Amino acid sequence: MKRLLQLVAVVLMYRINWKKLFVVVAIMTTAGMVLQTYTLPYPMATWFLPPQTMVSSYKSLNGSTVHLTETLSLESAEQFQLVPTAPVVSLNSSTELVKSVPIVEERAQVSPRRNPSSRRRRKNAKIDKTNEQKVVFHPPPPRTVPTRLQRYIWSLPPDEALLFAKREIQNVSTVTDDPELYASLFHNVSVFKRSYELMETILKVYIYPDGARPIFHAPHLRGIYASEGWFMKLMEENRQFVTRDPKKAHLFYLPYSARQLETALYVPNSHNIRPLSIFLRDHVNMIAAKYPFWNRTHGSDHFLVACHDWGPYTVNEHQELSRNTIKALCNADLSEGIFVAGKDVSLPETTIRNPRRPLRNVGGRRVSQRPILAFFAGNMHGRVRPTLLKYWSDKDEDMRIYGPLPNRISKKMSYIQHMKSSRFCICPMGYEVNSPRIVEAIYYECVPVIIADNFVPPLNDVLDWTAFSVIVAEKDIPKLKEILLAIPLRRYLVMQTNVKMVQKHFLWNPKPVRYDLFHMILHSIWFSRLNQIQISVS
């Protein structure tokens, strides 16, 4: 047996070419690995190749949204230099930069016998899958330890904190470059930035819990008067600015809705709105009797937000409410003697058609895709609109001026498409000086043309409306086309760019973000309160 084994060993050593055998084995092994990489459901490529990512969409520097269908590696995706929407001229501010990561899901064999722990694991796996499919580029803000200055400010009584903020704004340093703010839009971007930062650090608002629904604490979120409802909703949900301790408050909010007040108390066709004003007067008197804060300042540190046309008239029966309280009003008419420039706030009137998607249709077209010079369509009420139609309806192909948009026209091009296809959007007053078309024009990136004498444009305390709008006197309506054509193309391009940049300051976000409309309104109220503070020369 031993000799037989020796004989076999000698034969194998001399008859087999080991070099060829090694090459053949190496080729078969390599071929097997390549085959697994491209055919098996869980290839060995996951061991060797870098992880992949699906870039579904991103915003390029020119503002357009680019959709990619290829699967890119992480290294390739980084070469696209995705940029946040804040410093970019955006065609649609509501578009987010989202990175979708493909997820390989392994199908485990499920035994016939099920138990609660396996159900929990499957439920957690579904949640993990949902969370992994959307990875937002913007990381959450890091938690910062309060600085010594912040701790000092928080220790101050409310009046001293306001005095500190007033001094800080008066001695503000010049802001030369800020990636989140476009200086051309503001009267003084340095003052605004410092005031806004101090608001974020200092401001506390106490919301009176009194008042029955639906007039109080019941925000109306749809239609042309939705601004008051959206502010109420977001203010009452806020945790940063709201305090439950009125002794720590710098401002006091009366959360009533002028729209709901009209619905609840106005008798149709009575033409008598005095009962609305009496109701609000009695409510304020109750607040003054129940709490010490109103009488302490006679209402000067209290504010209300009303977007209904009748908003200014609901305060007439209470002298301190009318004269002292900070009123954020859509109907910002100087001629009535109710709205006080420098103290009251001009509230933007926004049309919200779908409260679940308040940013729907936001965005516009480039200038080369706007063949219409000017556009208006709307009902005929007030003193301005009939005059506008008298001079420009069916008079000029460049001036698309209508009453209600005719069906023969709307079938070819909708109201929104008209605004997105026009260089200028005419915004005449209606029954009152305010108009939702001003913000609509900004949403659709059309330069607004405001025709309303004695009207204070929204957020006029900080925004320079000459940078992104045209204001035309009512007497100049016959010369409207001449005025628009006199604007040089270079100037128009700057204005239209400014409209895109100011757009983010007029957006209602379901979850408020920095410098959006909720924060801009709150800042204007805060800024008005600071303007009341007097600093002694000594």
Side-chain angles (χ1 to χ4, degrees):
M1 183 66 181
K2 186 176 180 180
R3 292 179 61 85
L4 179 61
L5 292 175
Q6 289 177 350
L7 180 61
V8 171
V10 170
V11 171
L12 291 175
M13 291 176 63
Y14 289 96
R15 296 295 179 88
I16 297 177
N17 191 329
W18 290 99
K19 293 182 179 180
K20 293 183 178 180
L21 181 61
F22 179 81
V23 172
V24 170
V25 171
I27 292 174
M28 293 179 65
T29 302
T30 304
M33 294 175 63
V34 172
L35 185 64
Q36 292 182 56
T37 301
Y38 292 99
T39 60
L40 295 184
Y42 307 105
M44 296 177 66
T46 57
W47 302 352
F48 303 100
L49 300 180
Q52 296 181 343
T53 180
M54 291 292 296
V55 180
S56 59
S57 66
Y58 74 98
K59 283 195 174 181
S60 59
L61 288 175
N62 65 4
S64 60
T65 302
V66 180
H67 296 276
L68 302 178
T69 57
E70 304 89 24
T71 301
L72 306 175
S73 67
L74 285 175
E75 292 81 4
S76 300
E78 290 173 356
Q79 295 177 2
F80 284 96
Q81 299 179 355
L82 305 181
V83 288
T85 58
V88 176
V89 179
S90 167
L91 287 182
N92 192 337
S93 304
S94 64
T95 307
E96 294 181 347
L97 304 178
V98 176
K99 177 176 65 177
S100 301
V101 180
I103 298 174
V104 178
E105 181 182 0
E106 182 176 356
R107 293 191 178 183
Q109 294 292 332
V110 181
S111 60
R113 185 178 181 180
R114 299 181 179 180
N115 54 60
S117 61
S118 63
R119 294 193 191 99
R120 284 195 296 270
R121 284 196 296 270
R122 288 194 299 275
K123 184 177 180 180
N124 293 337
K126 290 180 180 179
I127 295 175
D128 292 340
K129 178 180 177 181
T130 303
N131 292 338
E132 290 176 10
Q133 283 179 338
K134 282 194 175 182
V135 181
V136 181
F137 273 75
H138 307 291
R143 293 185 178 181
T144 57
V145 179
T147 64
R148 185 175 180 181
L149 177 60
Q150 287 175 325
R151 289 195 294 268
Y152 167 72
I153 294 173
W154 295 339
S155 68
L156 295 174
D159 291 343
E160 293 184 24
L162 292 173
L163 189 62
F164 173 85
K166 180 79 171 183
R167 291 192 179 115
E168 282 288 304
I169 293 173
Q170 286 186 344
N171 301 318
V172 67
S173 57
T174 303
V175 174
T176 56
D177 186 21
D178 189 293
E180 293 186 280
L181 297 174
Y182 199 59
S184 300
L185 306 176
F186 298 89
H187 294 300
N188 189 325
V189 70
S190 302
V191 170
F192 170 76
K193 178 177 172 62
R194 186 58 182 144
S195 175
Y196 190 96
E197 292 170 345
L198 289 167
M199 178 190 75
E200 290 180 312
T201 303
I202 297 175
L203 179 60
K204 294 298 177 184
V205 177
Y206 180 74
I207 304 176
Y208 285 109
D210 308 82
R213 293 171 178 264
I215 297 174
F216 299 90
H217 309 286
H220 186 78
L221 304 178
R222 188 190 301 270
I224 62 174
Y225 303 129
S227 289
E228 64 181 27
W230 275 89
F231 181 86
M232 182 192 300
K233 172 184 181 294
L234 299 178
M235 189 77 251
E236 293 192 325
E237 292 174 353
N238 191 273
R239 294 183 179 181
Q240 177 182 359
F241 298 108
V242 174
T243 179
R244 294 184 179 180
D245 185 358
K247 295 180 181 179
K248 296 181 180 179
H250 308 90
L251 287 167
F252 296 81
Y253 176 35
L254 300 169
Y256 94 105
S257 167
R259 173 70 176 85
Q260 302 285 43
L261 187 65
E262 179 258 340
T263 302
L265 299 181
Y266 178 69
V267 178
N269 300 320
S270 68
H271 306 288
N272 181 16
I273 62 176
R274 189 166 179 265
L276 284 64
S277 184
I278 292 175
F279 177 89
L280 194 59
R281 178 200 66 189
D282 294 342
H283 177 77
V284 172
N285 287 337
M286 181 272 294
I287 291 291
K290 183 177 180 179
Y291 302 92
F293 310 108
W294 180 279
N295 294 327
R296 186 180 60 186
T297 62
H298 301 285
S300 62
D301 56 358
H302 288 58
F303 72 93
L304 57 85
V305 178
C307 193
H308 195 280
D309 287 353
W310 297 349
Y313 314 121
T314 61
V315 303
N316 285 341
E317 292 294 324
H318 197 291
Q319 186 174 2
E320 290 181 347
L321 181 65
S322 177
R323 293 184 179 180
N324 301 337
T325 302
I326 300 171
K327 304 181 292 293
L329 302 172
C330 287
N331 186 4
D333 189 348
L334 291 174
S335 66
E336 297 285 348
I338 302 174
F339 183 92
V340 180
K343 178 182 73 71
D344 295 328
V345 174
S346 179
L347 182 68
E349 184 175 358
T350 55
T351 300
I352 302 298
R353 294 176 174 85
N354 185 350
R356 294 186 178 182
R357 298 177 60 190
L359 305 182
R360 185 181 181 184
N361 294 322
V362 171
R365 299 174 181 172
R366 62 184 65 182
V367 176
S368 61
Q369 296 176 336
R370 293 177 177 268
I372 303 171
L373 176 64
F375 166 72
F376 167 79
N379 293 324
M380 289 295 102
H381 51 254
R383 64 177 184 264
V384 172
R385 297 183 185 185
T387 304
L388 183 66
L389 257 70
K390 174 184 175 182
Y391 284 96
W392 295 110
S393 179
D394 297 326
K395 299 291 194 305
D396 194 306
E397 183 64 23
D398 292 333
M399 305 288 286
R400 305 287 179 88
I401 307 298
Y402 307 97
L405 194 63
N407 289 333
R408 59 182 175 83
I409 302 295
S410 61
K411 288 180 181 179
K412 299 178 181 178
M413 184 183 295
S414 68
Y415 176 86
I416 293 176
Q417 290 172 337
H418 269 90
M419 297 193 84
K420 292 187 176 187
S421 301
S422 302
R423 295 192 177 188
F424 296 96
C425 289
I426 312 301
C427 308
M429 63 175 287
Y431 286 121
E432 304 292 347
V433 293
N434 48 301
S435 170
R437 286 169 181 77
I438 298 174
V439 177
E440 281 183 335
I442 293 174
Y443 283 176
Y444 306 137
E445 297 170 5
C446 176
V447 175
V449 179
I450 302 173
I451 308 178
D453 294 351
N454 304 311
F455 175 59
V456 178
L459 308 176
N460 188 60
D461 54 317
V462 293
L463 295 178
D464 180 9
W465 280 80
T466 62
F468 53 90
S469 71
V470 180
I471 298 177
V472 176
E474 295 174 17
K475 64 180 179 60
D476 292 330
I477 290 177
K479 299 185 294 183
L480 182 57
K481 182 177 181 180
E482 179 183 347
I483 292 172
L484 299 181
L485 291 178
I487 299 174
L489 178 59
R490 180 174 296 182
R491 169 63 181 160
Y492 172 80
L493 294 175
V494 171
M495 294 175 69
Q496 210 254 349
T497 298
N498 290 343
V499 169
K500 295 179 183 180
M501 300 305 288
V502 82
Q503 187 184 87
K504 73 173 186 177
H505 300 303
F506 287 89
L507 298 179
W508 288 115
N509 293 291
K511 292 184 178 181
V513 298
R514 213 165 182 237
Y515 300 123
D516 69 354
L517 186 51
F518 168 74
H519 287 99
M520 294 295 289
I521 295 170
L522 186 61
H523 171 267
S524 289
I525 296 168
W526 152 264
F527 198 62
S528 174
R529 179 71 180 110
L530 290 182
N531 287 336
Q532 299 176 21
I533 305 297
Q534 300 295 327
I535 299 179
S536 59
V537 179
S538 59

